Amino acid sequence: MASEESFVVLVHHKGSIKRKTRFGVKFTDKDPLCIVVSPRTSYDDLVRSVLMKLGLEGAKRVKKFFYRIPITVLQDTVKYDCFTIGSDEDLQVMFLCRRQFPESGGSNRNTTTLATAAGSSSRPAVASSSVPVYEPAVQPVASPSFAADLNGSGGDEVGSFDIAPNALPGVAPLGVGDGFWGEGEEDDVEPDMIDDDSGDDIGASELALAVVGSSSGTQQYPPHFSSLDLDAMRQEGVSGHSVGFGARDAEGTAGLTEFQVGQQFQDKDEALLSVKTYSIRRGVQYKVVESDHRRYVGKCSEFGNGCTWLIRLSLRQRKGIWEVKRYNGPHTCLATSISSDHRSLDYHVISAFIMPMVRADASVSIKVLLNATAAHFGFRLTYRRVWMAKQKAISLIYGDWDESYNELPRWVLGVQLTMPGTVAVLWTSPVRVGGQVDESQAYFHRLFWTFPSCIEAFRHCKPLVSIDGTHLYGKYGGTLLIAIAQDGNSNILPVAFALVEGENAESWSFFLSHLRQHVTLQPGLLVISDRHNDIKAALEAPDGGWLPPSAYRAFCIRHVVANFALTFKGKDARRLLVNAAYAKTEVEFDYWFDILRSEDPAMCEWANRIDYSLWTQHRDDGRRFGHMTTNISECVNSILKGVRNLPVSSLVKATYGRLAELFVRKGREAEAQMGTGQQFSQHLVKSIEANLKTARCFTVTLYDRDNSEFTVAETTPTGSFSLGTYRVSLASRTCDCGYFQALHFPCQHALACCAYSRVTWSSYVHSVYQISSVFSVYRMGFTPPIPEGFWPPYDGPTVIPDPARRRVREGHPRSTRIRTNMDEADPNRPKRCGLCR
């Protein structure tokens, strides 16, 4: 509700009677007293206003209020219950209810009444003249209601305050007499006295607070939420949302316009979306009477039972548009059920709503979309429905999920025509129908692809490659395998890709064999991966080309620590293991390993089962260049963000576009640095500058002038771990600190030796760090893709997705639990209901 809106509360102070009827709780009131409140009014302010109007300020106190709240909606009546209000949060429930469900009738005012049984005061209250008198245009609907207890501060006490149905001056209160309940209802009334706590047995006449405030329109529809949602209302009331109630928001029904005869829509989908959205906003249900390619007819679910709502839309064939031919509205019925969901709020409607968010970021999470949809429509939604809506939105933006597989053969031909030298290997599997192979169709199996720019770029990168896989998040499952390189400026670069059915020995062998054959041709490469046994099997294949000395293997320390954490708990232990892995020397490794052994010897025994050359830096012979992880997360987030959520054809096209953009951006940066006369990459320059700051604190002694061998003594320790004195050999490019041989550029001790010998340190830097090498990585670039209309024709079988890879359509995800004889049920045991047995 807007902050400028206000309500007038009619207070009946002589006493209050809470009556129980077949329609729930009801309060009666006769003598109102007017109080003006607003959503900014606090509970204390309301109490103070009531006591001031009664002239009891300082003599009495309000213990609590009771709110007469609708809990269910029947055919033509509303049932109410009591809700206790004793805090600001509880008071917001009233304001939220008034905001979401304004009063019925022709007035644009909202009214709510609060009643209480008062004690000794007999002052009659006259309503303010500002309170309008109106006559409802339709059958009135009772307002929500309250009650409150008053306790005396000095022993005198006043009874309870009840918020009852509307009691405006000159108008019989709704819910009393023949207003809403009908004349025969009093026979079912069972009086329930709300007594004064002081012991005076007071016949409870009610003190009502009728709340009157401006509204943006007339609302004829009562609330339809359950009292079970009151706790949620307390939480959501302050922020103005009503998620989960099936309630409309403030801009919902109040500003919702009716359909007009002659109103036109571009197509049937747009027309249906409009009808469904209208039904959702109104909180009512409708049923489809007729629907085909030429007409659409819908009626209210209560058509014939008091509601005449009907809409008929037809296709105007000459113009190709849909038009409203007949409309009876608005609805004159009440919601017939309590629900936190709406039948018309299907994934088609949700898809239209989330389309802009998905278009902006295809990787937007389902949780974000779920919360946004619930806040907009005001209904609870299932994760599955929002997930299906996102898949539909993606298919409308990026193409159909099934058709995308058949686009892959043409994409292969098109990209090879665009960039000669592109490697794309597509494998399919046969489709069998009735035991016979269908020659016209083939299942997609695997696809490997890389571009000539990536092949050329890897020649100038560091001689290592990281490999890993990430799952696809679309309609069909699968895994995207990626090979990642790194240039001399520490920029990551994906150089090869593969779409496979999952991570197994065959898929990894398919990927690694083509990677070795087409991209990583250099000998002595290092492959960084996780400890997956299928990767191990593929790398150890005799004909794979990945065995030493052609290639070496190392583990990603992040995956090693993750495996370690499955057995041993505690962040300190994981930190010690990481420090030991990153140690550049054996002495430093032993230092951290001894601390780890003191924590738990079993931790060291676990680590000793893995060859040190696979996970420690001091045993890798400098092949890691300081890199200990696969960088798959950084690659996906920075370069390939969102591609896992796309159909396969859009995914492979995205790799081309993203890499083309990356090559242009990084190539310009390297070219600009070369233009300023820089010799090395920015990453190296920063590292050298940091080492130079500490190189002045050393004492250098020359031992062998011909072989450039020195000893360097630290006058002050330069780090957390220090040996004090280090041997440096510029000729062999080694230092006892381990950094020189691990990172392949001079450490702080080597820089001190270069300064002592008056030689430049640049000659001891690996060529990969030169800015010319970094520029060579991105020199080749990509060419603009040829439009799809000019791609060569494909005359092979239609490629379709393997139905076994489709995600479960309905129900709970399949369990991966290994079942034992404990899970086997007795087949002779009778089946019983889980609720009543």
Side-chain angles (χ1 to χ4, degrees):
M1 178 178 293
S3 60
E4 63 272 9
E5 288 192 88
S6 62
F7 296 97
V8 176
V9 183
L10 302 183
V11 183
H12 293 260
H13 62 283
K14 286 186 177 181
S16 174
I17 295 180
K18 180 176 68 175
R19 298 179 181 272
K20 293 181 180 178
T21 72
R22 59 191 177 95
F23 299 111
V25 173
K26 179 176 125 180
F27 301 114
T28 60
D29 52 75
K30 296 180 180 179
D31 208 359
L33 173 71
C34 295
I35 298 175
V36 178
V37 297
S38 71
R40 292 176 295 177
T41 301
S42 65
Y43 178 79
D44 292 337
D45 292 338
L46 178 60
V47 170
R48 192 177 304 110
S49 299
V50 170
L51 294 177
M52 287 180 63
K53 287 287 185 179
L54 293 174
L56 299 176
E57 189 174 16
K60 302 289 182 181
R61 66 183 180 88
V62 175
K63 182 179 179 181
K64 57 186 175 181
F65 291 92
F66 296 103
Y67 179 51
R68 184 170 175 266
I69 189 168
I71 61 171
T72 182
V73 179
L74 306 177
Q75 177 73 20
D76 55 356
T77 56
V78 182
K79 189 174 181 179
Y80 293 90
D81 199 356
C82 272
F83 172 59
T84 303
I85 292 196
S87 64
D88 291 339
E89 291 77 11
D90 296 339
L91 189 60
Q92 289 298 324
V93 175
M94 179 186 70
F95 297 129
L96 176 63
C97 187
R98 304 306 304 156
R99 177 174 62 248
Q100 297 295 340
F101 310 103
E103 281 304 302
S104 62
S107 173
N108 63 348
R109 303 270 185 175
N110 293 340
T111 64
T112 294
T113 56
L114 181 151
T116 177
S120 58
S121 176
S122 60
R123 171 187 172 189
V126 180
S128 170
S129 60
S130 62
V131 179
V133 178
Y134 67 92
E135 295 183 3
V138 296
Q139 185 181 19
V141 179
S143 302
S145 47
F146 278 116
D149 286 340
L150 284 169
N151 292 330
S153 59
D156 296 330
E157 298 176 348
V158 179
S160 61
F161 283 75
D162 303 332
I163 300 182
N166 187 9
L168 296 178
V171 180
L174 299 178
V176 179
D178 57 358
F180 176 78
W181 301 104
E183 294 180 353
E185 182 200 312
E186 294 299 329
D187 296 335
D188 299 325
V189 172
E190 177 183 337
D192 184 11
M193 301 298 293
I194 303 179
D195 293 332
D196 189 309
D197 290 337
S198 64
D200 298 330
D201 191 6
I202 302 175
S205 65
E206 293 178 294
L207 181 72
L209 301 180
V211 185
V212 182
S214 62
S215 176
S216 56
T218 300
Q219 176 54 258
Q220 302 177 8
Y221 309 97
H224 54 287
F225 53 83
S226 169
S227 59
L228 298 177
D229 293 314
L230 293 179
D231 291 337
M233 290 185 70
R234 290 191 182 98
Q235 299 173 6
E236 301 291 343
V238 176
S239 61
H241 295 293
S242 57
V243 177
F245 304 150
R248 282 83 62 194
D249 52 24
E251 63 185 5
T253 57
L256 189 62
T257 58
E258 297 292 330
F259 290 98
Q260 302 293 332
V261 174
Q263 187 174 349
Q264 297 178 347
F265 302 92
Q266 293 297 324
D267 50 35
K268 184 177 180 180
D269 291 337
E270 182 182 344
L272 294 185
L273 178 62
S274 181
V275 174
K276 288 180 179 180
T277 303
Y278 173 89
S279 176
I280 295 167
R281 289 295 189 188
R282 288 295 188 187
V284 294
Q285 303 287 353
Y286 77 98
K287 56 185 177 182
V288 179
V289 179
E290 184 179 1
S291 178
D292 55 32
H293 66 284
R294 296 181 60 185
R295 64 180 59 86
Y296 182 86
V297 181
K299 291 183 179 180
C300 177
S301 298
E302 298 301 314
F303 192 86
N305 294 328
C307 185
T308 61
W309 188 90
L310 178 145
I311 187 169
R312 180 189 298 273
L313 300 106
S314 299
L315 173 66
R316 298 189 63 178
Q317 296 185 358
R318 291 185 178 181
K319 294 184 177 181
I321 59 177
W322 284 71
E323 184 176 87
V324 178
K325 292 295 186 180
R326 179 184 174 186
Y327 181 67
N328 296 341
H331 286 270
T332 57
C333 61
L334 303 178
T336 57
S337 63
I338 305 170
S339 177
S340 60
D341 198 357
H342 197 285
R343 183 173 60 191
S344 298
L345 189 55
D346 54 20
Y347 75 94
H348 302 287
V349 177
I350 301 171
S351 175
F353 170 69
I354 67 175
M355 185 79 70
M357 290 181 281
V358 176
R359 190 186 301 275
D361 182 9
S363 63
V364 59
S365 68
I366 301 298
K367 184 177 181 180
V368 172
L369 298 176
L370 183 64
N371 293 336
T373 306
H376 180 74
F377 289 105
F379 289 96
R380 288 197 185 103
L381 303 171
T382 62
Y383 185 97
R384 178 73 186 181
R385 193 186 306 176
V386 179
W387 183 86
M388 293 175 63
K390 181 182 178 183
Q391 305 315 308
K392 179 178 180 180
I394 289 177
S395 66
L396 293 175
I397 298 172
Y398 298 99
D400 184 74
W401 291 93
D402 295 348
E403 291 295 330
S404 66
Y405 285 90
N406 193 38
E407 294 178 9
L408 290 177
R410 289 201 65 220
W411 176 84
V412 170
L413 298 175
V415 75
Q416 289 176 340
L417 180 64
T418 300
M419 290 195 70
T422 298
V423 178
V425 182
L426 175 63
W427 283 12
T428 59
S429 57
V431 176
R432 299 185 180 273
V433 179
Q436 301 293 327
V437 176
D438 186 355
E439 300 292 345
S440 63
Q441 292 181 324
Y443 288 136
F444 171 82
H445 191 40
R446 295 173 187 146
L447 173 66
F448 173 90
W449 74 98
T450 186
F451 307 109
S453 301
C454 297
I455 298 174
E456 177 64 22
F458 187 77
R459 296 176 52 196
H460 306 281
C461 291
K462 297 174 183 178
L464 58 90
V465 61
S466 301
I467 57 174
D468 206 346
T470 179
H471 297 289
L472 302 182
Y473 291 157
K475 181 179 178 180
Y476 294 91
T479 303
L480 175 64
L481 305 181
I482 308 176
I484 305 169
Q486 194 173 63
D487 64 15
N489 201 25
S490 294
N491 298 314
I492 59 174
L493 172 68
V495 294
F497 311 88
L499 280 174
V500 296
E501 69 278 10
E503 294 191 64
N504 52 57
E506 292 77 15
S507 62
W508 274 114
S509 178
F510 167 80
F511 177 62
L512 291 173
S513 61
H514 287 95
L515 178 67
R516 189 61 169 169
Q517 178 182 354
H518 301 291
V519 183
T520 58
L521 306 176
Q522 301 92 319
L525 290 177
L526 180 71
V527 180
I528 302 177
S529 69
D530 58 25
R531 299 175 61 206
H532 207 291
N533 289 329
D534 295 327
I535 299 179
K536 178 182 178 182
L539 291 174
E540 293 179 354
D543 56 348
W546 295 103
L547 294 174
S550 298
Y552 300 87
R553 188 187 183 192
F555 290 153
C556 169
I557 188 58
R558 184 181 294 118
H559 289 87
V560 173
V561 172
N563 298 147
F564 177 83
L566 296 176
T567 306
F568 305 100
K569 308 301 179 182
K571 294 183 179 180
D572 293 338
R574 296 198 296 269
R575 179 180 56 83
L576 292 173
L577 185 67
V578 170
N579 290 343
Y582 274 84
K584 305 293 191 301
T585 64
E586 186 174 0
V587 176
E588 185 180 359
F589 172 82
D590 293 337
Y591 170 78
W592 294 112
F593 217 56
D594 289 341
I595 299 177
L596 185 65
R597 186 178 289 107
S598 64
E599 294 285 336
D600 187 354
M603 298 179 181
C604 293
E605 294 177 3
W606 183 93
N608 287 332
R609 290 196 290 268
I610 309 174
D611 192 340
Y612 283 179
S613 63
L614 296 176
W615 67 280
T616 64
Q617 195 168 193
H618 78 282
R619 291 283 190 90
D620 70 346
D621 295 331
R623 297 189 184 95
R624 284 183 179 265
F625 277 73
H627 301 295
M628 301 295 292
T629 65
T630 57
N631 290 320
I632 182 65
S633 299
E634 184 180 353
C635 175
V636 170
N637 292 332
S638 62
I639 302 175
L640 302 176
K641 183 178 180 181
V643 299
R644 296 183 294 173
N645 305 84
L646 304 181
V648 291
S649 61
S650 298
L651 187 153
V652 295
K653 294 174 185 176
T655 59
Y656 188 94
R658 301 281 180 89
L659 286 174
E661 179 185 356
L662 177 69
F663 271 63
V664 171
R665 185 174 70 255
K666 295 300 179 181
R668 286 177 177 175
E669 293 177 0
E671 188 176 19
Q673 294 173 26
M674 290 179 62
T676 60
Q678 296 184 25
Q679 185 179 357
F680 298 102
S681 66
Q682 291 181 338
H683 171 75
L684 179 80
V685 171
K686 292 180 180 179
S687 300
I688 293 295
E689 289 176 352
N691 290 339
L692 286 173
K693 292 181 180 179
T694 57
R696 303 165 185 164
C697 305
F698 301 144
T699 300
V700 180
T701 303
L702 175 63
Y703 277 82
D704 189 337
R705 183 170 57 85
D706 295 332
N707 296 324
S708 300
E709 294 183 354
F710 307 82
T711 60
V712 179
E714 294 182 348
T715 56
T716 57
T718 57
S720 58
F721 182 85
S722 176
L723 297 177
T725 303
Y726 301 84
R727 295 172 300 169
V728 178
S729 174
L730 295 180
S732 60
R733 302 186 181 187
T734 60
C735 177
D736 284 345
C737 71
Y739 281 81
F740 200 174
Q741 51 269 39
L743 304 180
H744 301 278
F745 60 81
C747 61
Q748 51 197 358
H749 310 106
L751 290 176
C753 296
C754 290
Y756 178 86
S757 302
R758 293 182 174 83
V759 297
T760 178
W761 54 263
S762 59
S763 58
Y764 300 103
V765 177
H766 195 284
S767 60
V768 74
Y769 295 108
Q770 296 179 1
I771 193 64
S772 57
S773 297
V774 176
F775 177 72
S776 297
V777 172
Y778 308 101
R779 178 181 301 174
M780 186 171 183
F782 287 73
T783 57
I786 296 177
E788 296 185 18
F790 296 98
W791 287 358
Y794 168 71
D795 55 0
T798 301
V799 180
I800 61 176
D802 189 343
R805 295 194 196 176
R806 181 166 182 177
R807 301 188 184 275
V808 180
R809 300 186 183 184
E810 297 179 354
H812 195 277
R814 294 192 183 99
S815 174
T816 58
R817 181 173 180 265
I818 300 175
R819 302 181 66 85
T820 64
N821 55 359
M822 297 175 59
D823 302 297
E824 297 177 0
D826 184 3
N828 298 323
R829 183 178 180 181
K831 295 182 179 181
R832 299 183 184 274
C833 174
L835 299 177
C836 66
R837 308 308 302 171

